[in-house]
Amino acid sequence: MSKVITFGEIMLRLAPNGNYRFFQQDQMQATFGGGEANVAVSLANFGMDSVYVTKLPDNAIGQAAINNLRSFGVDTTRISRGGERVGIYYLEKGASQRGSVCIYDRAHSSISEADMSDFDWDNIFEGADWFHFTGITPALSDSLVEICEKACEVAKSHGVKISCDLNYRGKLWTKEKARQVMTKLAKYVDVCIANEEDAKDVFGIEAKGTDVYSGQLNKTGYIEVAQQLAESFGFEKVAITLRTSISANDNMWAAMLYDGKDAFFSKEYALHIVDRVGGGDSFGAGLIYAMLNNKDEQSIIEFAVAASALKHSIEGDFNRVSVDEVEKLMGGDGSGRVQR
């Protein structure tokens, strides 16, 4: 069984029920989520040896986050304890022409104030096959930039493949700082994952004829984007998700995989969205699973997109689906009919 290490911040997610606005009612759903944690849960659900690394306070909320990860079969033994708080994010789910809103309350969280001594990377990467992180993690603090780079260095020394989802978050850092940091980290990365905006926001590489706000995507233009990314940073593979937003509820969803020579496009799914947060993470997890199981390029991108399409139908950050469910959708059964 392949062993995958993910590193990042797990947060407490507070969201009004359904499509209520913030404090339109006096209740919020409390769950957990965060980019790399979402990937770890997906991979555990797929039957992989999934190890999540972070730092959490030694209190009841930190323990609840750990217990939640454990309930999915994620290995939490490498989590460092200490610091003062678990980061929080508030989510208001949009509907129709009203987009979703995410508000962060994660300053001074335990992971953002972690230091190099909190993680024994040589020990963590012993026997590992893959390491995954996102651009969110180094955006949290300067110390995490150094910790991410150290993790990548040690992963490489252990012969571990590295994937990174660019995941640019304008509420966490500027495009200039993101470009400076991610250019430094990109040299370690084997598989780069991005959406239709990340390459432009982080590296200034833009697909021609695309306007994500009008819902217009020139999908073939992303072949050139992937080529430029691969040539600039030496990525073995580049995966780009392609979301055509009709409204907050209805999207068209597909992706492309570039292997340094050829581009492979997935089928396109018409999504009626229950919860889109974590959609990109479920794509990344599907990609990692398919690559580690030696699927061909077309099957890799089809599996990743199908896994992510299913996630859009599930409340919360985590993708609660199995390999069988993903493969059934890949095979064409997307009718949504009752299974008896």
Side-chain angles (χ1 to χ4, degrees), residues 24-41:
Q24 186 179 348
Q25 60 170 200
D26 60 359
Q27 294 179 338
M28 283 193 176
Q29 295 175 327
T31 55
F32 291 98
E36 298 88 350
N38 300 341
V39 172
V41 169

Side-chain angles (χ1 to χ4, degrees), residues 32-94:
F32 291 98
E36 298 88 350
N38 300 341
V39 172
V41 169
S42 282
L43 291 172
N45 284 335
F46 293 156
M48 306 202 82
D49 187 357
S50 178
V51 182
Y52 182 62
V53 182
T54 191
K55 185 175 183 179
L56 285 166
D58 192 9
N59 61 27
I61 308 303
Q63 190 61 47
I66 289 173
N67 292 346
N68 190 226
L69 291 167
R70 285 176 176 167
S71 72
F72 291 96
V74 174
D75 183 339
T76 61
T77 59
R78 306 301 186 184
I79 292 177
S80 178
R81 304 302 295 270
E84 297 299 322
R85 67 187 298 257
V86 175
I88 299 171
Y89 87 94
Y90 299 86
L91 176 66
E92 179 184 282
K93 289 195 295 182

Side-chain angles (χ1 to χ4, degrees), residues 90-131:
Y90 299 86
L91 176 66
E92 179 184 282
K93 289 195 295 182
S96 192
Q97 279 67 50
R98 175 173 60 85
S100 296
V101 177
C102 179
I103 297 175
Y104 293 131
D105 176 18
R106 58 201 301 181
H108 306 294
S109 65
S110 292
I111 186 64
S112 69
E113 297 187 346
D115 59 45
M116 204 72 77
S117 65
D118 285 313
F119 309 103
D120 182 353
W121 291 113
D122 267 313
N123 189 270
I124 289 168
F125 285 119
E126 187 67 35
D129 299 286
W130 200 283
F131 175 51

